């Protein structure tokens, strides 16, 4: 697939939308998306692999109710949950999502103990998601029965999964998944800081944050012949835009041990990210991406309304190619796209996720909201976008 080249820019965009009772005006500057400069091979990657990620896929009670209502009261319809992001999902060579709930235990419930209908997993698969992450603080919400039903539901769908297992023996052999794409080998592993104090019921096993176990997974990845190692931690402090010391220390350790990229979740808001670029004076390649760190992608979808940040998520795409000189797999500049979760009725008749920049340029937005809820939803996204731009969460750091 073609890699979207990311340029550094500061082009102002002016969108004006007239709603029935009010005027909505948005002046979002594009998020800066720099790339390494002067790499003469950057524009000549014929075999580029892309792996994309979304953050916390939540299922609060209001979401379950909305899906049931849309399904006519007999089935659950989650089509709009992925509809506007599905084209981006299916452009990726491989697509990963953090599924932060259990599946199949009735009655279905939201916070604080999550259990949702299996239809949400099928909708995710149909939208193009290739891997479900299960190591999160809510995976033990429904005890042994919840874990059993969730694992069974994913097995029936034929969905690969990471982070939770039927027993320790399975975890020992399946905690690192190796994905081969266009001749390049990618190892991924997933772990969580905790399970909300709930014990992992025997005989099940959940990968927990432990430096000894993480180092073991990194060794396994190397033994499997991985060209690139990607860690997928569930960590950090909820609703905080900056990482805490524990996250920083684990990130340093993982990079030291050989991890190439870290893509995190859990805080329910996007956090700072760093792209480490090595600046060299070689005559052919001036710069190269050495390490990639996104501390948190935030929510993909939820019913949280703590702030505009809990409605904001990140769709992250990592790109890779094989260096034509050395034969080694190299990382290219990643791409990140901010998403917005509309709650029930704020855009469609259920919970809907859109890419923010594209939505603000859409005919739907320009036409204005037809209902009071839509007007409120459209104003919220337009008012908050400049704050996202101003925060400038993702930094490029040069290392000599």
């Amino acid at each position: 697939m073609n890699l979207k080249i990311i340029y550094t820019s500061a082009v102002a965009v002016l969108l004006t939308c007239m709603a029935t009772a009010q005027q909505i005006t948005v002046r979002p500057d594009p998020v800066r998306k720099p790339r390494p400069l002067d790499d003469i091979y950057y524009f000549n990657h014929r075999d580029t692999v892309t792996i994309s990620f979304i953050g916390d896929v939540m299922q609060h009670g209001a979401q379950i109710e909305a899906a049931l209502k849309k399904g006519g009261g007999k089935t659950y319809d989650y089509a709009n949950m992925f509809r506007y992001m599905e084209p981006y999902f299916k452009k990726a060579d491989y697509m990963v999502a953090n599924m932060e709930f259990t599946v199949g235990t009735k009655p279905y419930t939201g916070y604080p103990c999550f259990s949702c209908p299996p239809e949400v997993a099928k909708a995710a698969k149909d939208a193009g998601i290739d891997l479900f992450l299960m190591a999160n603080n809510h995976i033990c919400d429904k005890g042994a029965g919840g874990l059993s039903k969730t694992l069974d539901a994913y097995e029936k769908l034929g969905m690969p999964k990471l982070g939770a297992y039927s027993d320790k023996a399975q975890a020992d052999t399946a905690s690192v998944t190796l994905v081969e794409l266009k001749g390049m080998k990618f190892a991924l592993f997933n772990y969580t800081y905790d399970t909300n104090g709930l014990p992992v019921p025997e005989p099940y096993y959940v990968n927990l944050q432990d430096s000894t176990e993480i180092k073991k997974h990194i060794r396994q990845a190397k033994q499997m012949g991985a060209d690139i190692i990607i860690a997928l931690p569930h960590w950090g402090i909820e609703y905080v835009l900056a990482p805490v010391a524990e996250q920083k220390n684990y990130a340093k350790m993982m990079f030291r041990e050989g991890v190439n990229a870290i893509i995190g979740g859990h805080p329910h808001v996007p956090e700072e990210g760093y792209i480490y670029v090595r600046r060299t004076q070689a005559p052919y390649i001036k710069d190269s991406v050495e390490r990639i760190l996104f501390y948190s992608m935030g929510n993909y979808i939820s019913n949280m309304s703590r702030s505009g940040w809990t409605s904001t998520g990140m769709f992250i795409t990592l790109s890779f190619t094989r260096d034509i000189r050395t034969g080694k797999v190299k990382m290219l500049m990643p791409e990140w796209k901010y998403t917005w979760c509309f709650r029930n009725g704020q855009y469609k008749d259920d919970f809907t996720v859109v890419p923010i920049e594209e939505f603000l340029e859409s005919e739907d937005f320009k036409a204005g909201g037809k209902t009071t809820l839509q007007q409120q939803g459209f104003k919220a996204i337009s008012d908050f976008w400049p704050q996202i731009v101003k925060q400038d969460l993702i930094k490029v750091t040069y290392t000599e």
Side-chain angles (χ1 to χ4, degrees):
M1 71 177 276
N2 295 325
L3 170 67
K4 178 182 178 182
I5 305 301
I6 304 170
Y7 293 91
T8 303
S9 62
V11 181
V13 179
L14 175 61
L15 296 173
T16 303
C17 159
M18 292 297 298
T20 302
Q22 61 188 327
Q23 179 174 326
I24 300 175
T25 303
V26 59
R27 297 180 174 84
D29 295 319
V31 173
R32 294 189 296 130
K33 299 177 181 177
R35 65 168 180 80
L37 304 176
D38 303 322
D39 182 345
I40 66 172
Y41 294 102
Y42 194 90
F43 297 97
N44 192 33
H45 300 308
R46 297 178 182 176
D47 295 318
T48 301
V49 166
T50 56
I51 303 178
S52 295
F53 306 83
I54 56 173
D56 304 334
V57 180
M58 308 294 293
Q59 277 296 288
H60 291 94
Q63 295 171 262
I64 297 170
E65 291 171 10
L68 181 61
K69 183 177 179 180
K70 191 167 184 288
K74 295 182 179 180
T75 61
Y76 293 84
D77 185 344
Y78 285 99
N80 281 339
M81 182 170 172
F82 300 106
R83 177 170 294 161
Y84 298 97
M85 292 303 299
E86 183 174 336
Y88 301 98
F89 292 178
K90 291 190 172 178
K91 284 181 181 178
D93 291 306
Y94 200 73
M95 183 72 218
V96 182
N98 175 43
M99 309 293 273
E100 195 163 349
F101 44 70
T102 63
V103 168
T105 301
K106 294 183 178 180
Y108 300 134
T109 55
Y111 183 83
C113 293
F114 292 95
S115 175
C116 68
E119 285 90 338
V120 70
K122 185 178 186 304
K125 179 182 180 180
D126 291 345
I129 294 172
D130 299 296
L131 178 67
F132 289 169
L133 304 182
M134 296 182 66
N136 59 69
N137 58 307
H138 286 288
I139 195 60
C140 294
D141 279 1
K142 295 295 182 177
L147 268 168
S148 176
K149 288 182 173 66
T150 305
L151 289 168
D152 286 348
Y154 294 168
E155 288 286 345
K156 288 178 182 177
L157 281 175
M159 276 302 300
K161 53 197 177 300
L162 267 181
Y165 308 93
S166 58
D167 53 39
K168 180 65 164 62
Q170 185 186 55
D172 286 340
T173 59
S175 284
V176 180
T177 189
L178 190 71
V179 180
E180 186 167 347
L181 303 166
K182 300 180 184 178
M184 305 176 215
K185 295 180 180 180
F186 303 88
L188 300 90
F189 66 92
N190 168 225
Y191 65 85
T192 178
Y193 76 100
D194 194 23
T195 54
N196 284 347
L198 298 172
V200 178
E202 294 183 355
Y204 300 97
Y205 191 89
V206 175
N207 284 340
L208 297 175
Q209 181 171 282
D210 177 88
S211 59
T212 300
E213 288 295 300
I214 292 170
K215 289 176 182 178
K216 182 180 76 174
H217 295 153
I218 296 170
R219 288 196 301 271
Q220 288 176 340
K222 292 176 179 178
Q223 292 166 2
M224 296 164 78
D227 295 302
I228 296 290
I229 303 174
I230 302 174
L232 303 163
H234 198 78
W235 60 357
I237 305 299
E238 292 180 344
Y239 316 119
V240 177
L241 298 179
V244 295
E246 184 178 56
Q247 288 169 278
K248 294 178 181 179
N249 290 335
Y250 270 95
K252 289 177 183 177
M253 179 273 289
M254 287 190 280
F255 283 140
R256 187 171 61 246
E257 295 295 320
V259 168
N260 303 101
I262 301 171
I263 311 293
H266 170 63
H268 302 306
V269 295
E271 288 188 335
E272 293 174 2
Y274 296 88
I275 301 156
Y276 297 93
V277 178
R278 183 178 181 183
R279 177 176 287 149
T280 69
Q281 300 302 318
Y284 299 109
I285 297 181
K286 296 293 185 183
D287 298 337
S288 60
V289 177
E290 297 292 302
R291 302 186 303 278
I292 294 171
L293 171 57
F294 287 85
Y295 278 108
S296 172
M297 293 176 282
N299 288 328
Y300 174 75
I301 195 166
S302 79
N303 190 43
M304 293 182 180
S305 57
R306 180 176 289 257
S307 74
W309 287 111
T310 57
S311 296
T312 304
M314 297 186 77
F315 173 76
I316 295 169
T317 298
L318 306 186
S319 298
F320 310 87
T321 193
R322 194 172 292 280
D323 192 296
I324 61 176
R325 299 172 307 114
T326 65
K328 294 182 178 180
V329 174
K330 61 182 289 187
M331 294 190 291
L332 304 178
M333 181 61 70
E335 179 181 355
W336 56 96
K337 184 183 297 291
Y338 286 98
T339 62
W340 184 267
C341 173
F342 284 111
R343 291 191 292 282
N344 191 21
Q346 290 182 329
Y347 181 29
K348 300 298 180 180
D349 58 355
D350 57 355
F351 288 73
T352 307
V353 177
V354 299
I356 297 178
E357 290 180 88
E358 287 82 349
F359 180 78
L360 293 176
E361 296 175 355
S362 71
E363 293 303 317
D364 282 352
F365 176 78
K366 292 176 183 177
K370 297 179 180 179
T371 68
T372 300
L373 270 179
Q374 285 181 336
Q375 292 165 20
Q376 292 172 351
F378 288 14
K379 187 175 189 303
I381 188 174
S382 64
D383 285 351
F384 200 71
W385 173 237
Q387 295 185 48
I388 297 171
V389 175
K390 183 178 180 181
Q391 191 70 36
D392 193 23
L393 287 169
I394 312 305
K395 314 291 185 183
V396 175
T397 300
Y398 280 93
T399 59
E400 301 300 331

